[in-house]
Each structure stands twice: as C-alpha cells, then as structure tokens.
Amino acid sequence: MSSTPAPVPLPAPSASLRRNRLAVLINFFAVGFGLAAWVVHVPNVMGATGLDDAGLGFLLLVMGVASLAAMQGGGYLSARYGSRGLLIVGALVMVVGLLGAGLAQTPHWLGVALGAFGVGSGAMDIGMNEQAVRVERAYGRPIMGSMHAFFSVGGATGAAVGVPLLSLGLPSAATMGIMGGVSLLLAAVALPWVLAGPAVEEPAAMHAAPAPADHAAPEKPGGPSVLRLGTILAIMAFSFFLAEGTVNDWSARHSVEHLGQSASTAAIAYGVFSVFMTLGRFAADRVAGAVGAVAVVRYGSLLAAAGMALVVLAPSFPVAVAGWGLYGVGLSGIVPQLFSAAGALVSGPRAPVVLSRVVGAGYVGLLAGPAIVGWLSAGIGLNQALLLPVLLCLMGTALSVSLRGAGPRA
C-alpha cells in the first residue's frame, strides 16, 4: 500500500520579509484611503466648480487615462529602477492632485488636478502590485488576496474618516489635504521596508521557497508563449474588472428601477457586495494555497455568475441582496490570482512590464464597464444588461486553465 508523502512545511518568513509584506499592505491601504478622499468630496467639488454630471464624467475619463498612462510608464520604470521610488513619488503626486481638486474653482483646473491624481494613484497602483508579486514569490505561498483586501479596508476607512471631517464645515482643500497627507505619511512610513532595486532573475530562489501553486510550472517545448498567456491574462483582467465595475454604478440603480426600493435602501446592495468582497479577499490566500489559483478563478467565476444571475432573476430585494453577496465572494479572489500569474509570467526586471499591461487592461475594463452596461440598458433594459457580467464570468471560467501555464519564463 502506497502512502502520499506529507507536504514539506515552508520555512518561516524572515523578519525582513515580514516587514516587506507590511510595507506593501500599508501602501495598498494608503491608495484606498486616498481614493476615498476624492470620492467623498465629489459633491462639494462639483458645487465649487459648477460641474454637471456630463462634465464630471469627462473629467473622470481624463483621470482614468492619466492613471492608465502612469501604469504603463511605471512598468518600464520599475523594470529599470525598481518600484520603490514609484510608491513615494506617486503618493506625493496623488496628494498634490487631491489638494488641487480641493482648491479648484473651475472645471479646467479641476481637470489638471484630477490628471495629477490619476498619475499619482496609477504609479502607486503598479508599484504596490509589483512589490506584492515579489514579496509573494519570496513567501512561497499566496498572499496577494490580503494585499487587495487592505485596499478595500483603506477605502472603507477613508469614507468613515471623510464623513465626520466634512461635517465640521472645513474647506474642501483642508479636508482633502488632511486625508491626502495621511496617505503620504503612510507611504513614507513604509518606505524603508519597501524592496529596493529592480527584480532579479528567480527571486524566489533566494529565499529557498517555492512559488505559489499554479504559477510555477516550467515552460515546456511547444508550450504557450509569454505573449499568448499575457494576452489571455489581460483579457481576463479586462473582463473581471468590467464585471466588478458594474457594481459601483448600477447595483443601487437596479434596486431602485427594477425592485422599487428607495435610494437609501438600495445602497445596501453595494454595501453587501463590498463587505463580502473584502471578507472573501482575506480568505482567498488560504483557499488558493489549498486548492490552487486555477480552482479559485474557475469556481469563483462560476459563483459570481450564479450570484449575478440571482440578481437578474430576483423576485424581491432580499433575494437580490443575497445575489450581490455571492457576486462579491465569487469575484473576491480572482484578480489577485491574475496579478500573481502576470507578475510570475517572466523572471527578473521584465516582470513589471508584463504586469503593467495586465493591470492596465483591468483598469480599462473598470472604466469601460459602467458605460457599456449603461449603453446596453438603454436598448434592452438594465436587468437584461446585467447578463453581460454573467457571460464574462463564464468566459473567465473557460479561460481559467490558462493560469496553470503562467509560470516564470527566463
């Protein structure tokens, strides 16, 4: 009778590696907090600049394009110099953008400020994800989910801090400057623990720890190319970010329009999604370590598709809320696995460039999602338009097997 050998326990991470991880967590929190500083001030800024909804939508597009450009440029800078500088410079530029938005009295100057905010947040986004990939590979087990969970926690904390600050009646420049200053301070505190310099070949080997499950299969002759796998990961990132972005703009609207709820009650739908998304991300690392990245993406996307289908078919608001909760749990662990796979697709300094393309594709999906669903809803109704995320999640299920080949390439 044969027996399965017991798994070899991984060595405990060193104190310096734990500090590296803490630094990345702090930066994820800081970016979420800074984004919340902008979101809670949107009504005040619109009033100060005389913007209508269409004007704000255009300026948000400007911010998105600036952020996307910073992500792509940041990938090349990280490959050459490392991502440490991106984090602190990005935090500084983000604060300048927030302060500028608080001071803006015209749409023109608000556009300039939001462009700066987009550049700063985009630089931090690629920098912190590049750091997370390197630290995760050194750990030898999945930790990316907890990183992204801290982004959500930072956003929730920022909203909780911003509301009482606004109630004090202080000028927007003061409250946005205070909140932006907190983000900058956090990035500065974490800076000494951030990994310096560009990644080197096979960083995991330096720590004598294996790479996370499903991300370390060696390339075989005739196997999938880096370009092909990178393209598939980019398509998946676009699709899942589009699916996630749909919630931000349309969950409450669906509850009002389709289920007859008041605006205040309808907000519960987004709240439930956010809570379950955050909790799911904290659990995702342990699940990925046990069953692998492929299973997390495959069954997570199936669960998300079932959750959104429940929303579309819901006969009542409580059933729809349950669907939004399932949707959040299903999506929660997917993006961290995609970013881990993208960061491990090649070894050494080229890794941030590949990662920046996948992160950028996801960001395009996040920006485009609400608009695409809105366009569809104008033609077929919002409830039917929400079938698009169902289809995208099912496509992700079919493509999930690609993560098995997304191991490091020389």
Side-chain angles (χ1 to χ4, degrees):
M1 178 181 295
S2 62
S3 59
T4 303
V8 178
L10 295 174
S14 65
S16 62
L17 186 55
R18 289 196 298 270
R19 287 193 292 269
N20 296 150
R21 182 182 183 182
L22 178 60
V24 181
L25 291 172
I26 291 173
N27 276 282
F28 269 87
F29 182 95
V31 175
F33 191 90
L35 181 60
W38 156 246
V39 171
V40 300
H41 284 87
V42 167
N44 286 4
V45 172
M46 288 182 69
T49 56
L51 272 179
D52 57 13
D53 289 347
L56 178 64
F58 175 76
L59 293 186
L60 290 177
L61 180 61
V62 170
M63 182 176 76
V65 171
S67 184
L68 181 62
M71 289 177 189
Q72 302 313 300
Y76 286 98
L77 290 173
S78 293
R80 181 158 187 165
Y81 305 107
S83 55
R84 187 179 189 180
L86 277 180
L87 291 172
I88 191 63
V89 173
L92 180 59
V93 175
M94 190 171 71
V95 173
V96 170
L98 279 173
L99 187 58
L103 291 170
Q105 297 295 314
T106 66
H108 173 78
W109 285 111
L110 179 60
V112 173
L114 290 182
F117 182 77
V119 168
S121 60
M124 289 194 74
D125 201 315
I126 190 61
M128 67 192 187
N129 276 291
E130 194 271 343
Q131 288 280 326
V133 167
R134 291 171 65 183
V135 172
E136 182 180 61
R137 292 185 68 188
Y139 259 75
R141 59 180 173 84
I143 60 171
M144 184 70 81
S146 63
M147 307 290 190
H148 285 253
F150 265 78
F151 174 83
S152 301
V153 173
T157 305
V161 170
V163 170
L165 276 179
L166 287 171
S167 69
L168 296 176
L170 298 172
S172 293
T175 52
M176 295 176 85
I178 290 170
M179 296 185 69
V182 170
S183 290
L184 179 59
L185 178 62
L186 289 170
V189 167
L191 188 63
W193 303 330
V194 173
L195 292 169
V200 296
E201 296 297 326
E202 298 299 334
M206 297 188 302
H207 300 269
D214 293 328
H215 295 161
E219 185 173 16
K220 299 176 182 179
S225 67
V226 170
L227 178 60
R228 179 188 169 195
L229 284 172
T231 301
I232 292 173
L233 290 173
I235 291 171
M236 294 175 72
F238 175 88
S239 301
F240 284 114
F241 267 97
L242 191 156
E244 182 179 335
T246 297
V247 184
N248 300 340
D249 290 81
W250 296 110
S251 57
R253 181 62 184 168
H254 176 268
S255 299
V256 171
E257 180 182 303
H258 188 67
L259 297 170
Q261 302 300 305
S262 66
S264 57
T265 302
I268 294 173
Y270 179 73
V272 167
F273 169 84
S274 299
V275 168
F276 277 83
M277 168 74 85
T278 303
L279 294 175
R281 282 181 169 169
F282 276 116
D285 293 334
R286 186 174 295 275
V287 174
V291 302
V294 173
V296 170
V297 175
R298 176 181 297 152
Y299 297 112
S301 54
L302 279 175
L303 183 59
M308 183 58 81
L310 185 59
V311 170
V312 171
L313 299 173
S316 63
F317 183 62
V319 175
V321 168
W324 289 115
L326 288 176
Y327 194 57
V329 171
L331 290 178
S332 61
I334 294 175
V335 168
Q337 307 312 312
L338 298 181
F339 286 1
S340 291
L345 194 56
V346 296
S347 298
R350 288 192 301 152
V353 178
V354 177
L355 178 63
S356 69
R357 292 169 182 167
V358 175
V359 174
Y363 195 74
V364 171
L366 191 66
L367 291 174
I372 292 173
V373 171
W375 176 75
L376 284 174
S377 67
I380 62 177
L382 178 57
N383 198 51
Q384 289 73 26
L386 290 180
L387 290 173
L388 175 62
V390 176
L391 296 176
L392 292 175
C393 288
L394 292 176
M395 182 182 73
T397 301
L399 293 176
S400 62
V401 69
S402 301
L403 271 73
R404 186 169 290 126
R409 267 62 168 171

